[in-house]
Amino acid sequence: MRIDIITVLPELLESPLSHSIMKRAQAKGLLEVHVHPLRQYSNLKHNQVDDYQFGGGAGMVMMLEPIVNAIESLQAKVQYDEVIYLTPDGETLNQKMANQLSLKGNLLLLCGHYKGIDQRIRDHFITKEISIGDYVLSGGELGAAVLVDAIGRLLPGVLNNETSALTDSFQDNLLAPPVYTRPEEFRGWKVPEILLSGDHKKIDEWRHQESVERTKQRRPDLL
């Protein structure tokens, strides 16, 4: 999979994409991530990419031309399955969406900033709009990092244990069950006996029931 990201602040994406599972995915050649500074596509003095909004009001708006230049320049080289805009008023990211996007070949992400982008970009270039939650960040870079991580870890071969992602929270609309590791007992707090039994069928049944109960208590809306 290839993911291209257009951003005003490429530095914000350096660390999230250079460590842990995302580093491994790229090192294995399973994921390519290319970050493109928007200012290099500006034809204006000082590489300006924002301007005052028509009609007045507080806040600047990301300009049309630099974004068009960036998108069209990249589209001339790569055929994208989706051109995604990270914005607070987009569709809320969930596990089902991450699963679907992980099956794509090439994605182009546009990080919003300031008061957002000129609406004409959304009308003519964007194919999908995504939010990572009902709150506002300083820009779309952190949202893009979250999206890349959520997608990248699902690519076959990225995780050491392929079944690990299948038991994550929100797969099958259930929260993950509680997990335990050594020691078996600490300060009198014991690991449930069923997990030490070696009976994998009963362990699976216990984990499923715990997932159902946890979901009922914490996220009944998922059931």
Side-chain angles (χ1 to χ4, degrees):
M1 169 177 275
R2 171 174 173 148
I3 300 178
D4 289 273
I5 306 174
I6 301 171
T7 169
V8 176
L9 296 171
E11 299 83 2
L12 284 178
L13 291 164
E14 290 177 1
S15 180
L17 302 178
S18 302
H19 300 279
S20 189
I21 292 175
M22 290 304 97
K23 179 180 180 180
R24 184 192 310 162
Q26 294 174 80
K28 288 183 176 181
L30 302 173
L31 174 66
E32 289 183 47
V33 182
H34 303 274
V35 179
H36 307 273
L38 179 61
R39 294 188 187 281
Q40 71 182 14
Y41 295 97
S42 174
N43 297 320
L44 300 177
K45 187 178 181 180
H46 307 306
N47 298 320
Q48 180 183 350
V49 295
D50 62 302
D51 208 341
Y52 296 102
Q53 55 181 311
F54 284 121
M60 306 293 278
V61 176
M62 294 176 71
M63 299 170 68
L64 187 73
E65 291 181 288
I67 297 175
V68 171
N69 291 341
I71 292 176
E72 291 185 340
S73 175
L74 293 169
Q75 285 181 328
K77 305 171 187 175
V78 181
Q79 183 175 350
Y80 294 102
D81 298 294
E82 299 281 4
V83 179
I84 299 171
Y85 175 43
L86 280 302
T87 174
D89 58 351
E91 182 181 359
T92 303
L93 177 65
N94 57 29
Q95 191 61 48
K96 180 180 179 181
M97 188 189 303
N99 291 345
Q100 293 171 341
L101 290 174
S102 72
L103 301 176
K104 305 291 185 180
N106 303 307
L107 302 174
L108 176 57
L109 312 185
L110 173 61
C111 301
H113 222 73
Y114 312 115
K115 292 295 288 185
I117 63 175
D118 189 296
Q119 180 62 37
R120 290 167 288 184
I121 296 293
R122 303 172 79 163
D123 294 339
H124 297 285
F125 290 93
I126 302 302
T127 63
K128 192 174 188 65
E129 300 188 351
I130 295 177
S131 166
I132 62 167
D134 294 337
Y135 45 85
V136 178
L137 299 173
S138 300
E141 287 77 15
L142 297 180
V146 168
L147 181 60
V148 172
D149 191 286
I151 295 171
R153 65 188 304 278
L154 296 173
L155 300 177
V158 170
L159 299 180
N160 290 330
N161 186 339
E162 292 292 334
T163 62
S164 179
L166 299 179
T167 57
D168 287 338
S169 290
F170 305 111
Q171 298 285 13
D172 297 326
N173 286 334
L174 292 175
L175 300 182
V179 293
Y180 300 85
T181 188
R182 291 180 292 182
E184 293 180 16
E185 183 175 348
F186 179 76
R187 294 183 179 177
W189 309 331
K190 298 181 179 180
V191 173
E193 288 293 332
I194 184 65
L195 298 178
L196 308 175
S197 69
D199 189 327
H200 295 294
K201 181 179 180 182
K202 289 185 178 179
I203 290 173
D204 287 342
E205 292 173 351
W206 179 87
R207 285 175 171 161
H208 177 73
Q209 186 58 39
E210 289 293 316
S211 289
V212 172
E213 290 302 318
R214 178 170 284 189
T215 305
K216 284 181 181 179
Q217 294 173 6
R218 302 184 181 190
R219 289 293 304 275
D221 57 294
L222 294 174
L223 296 174

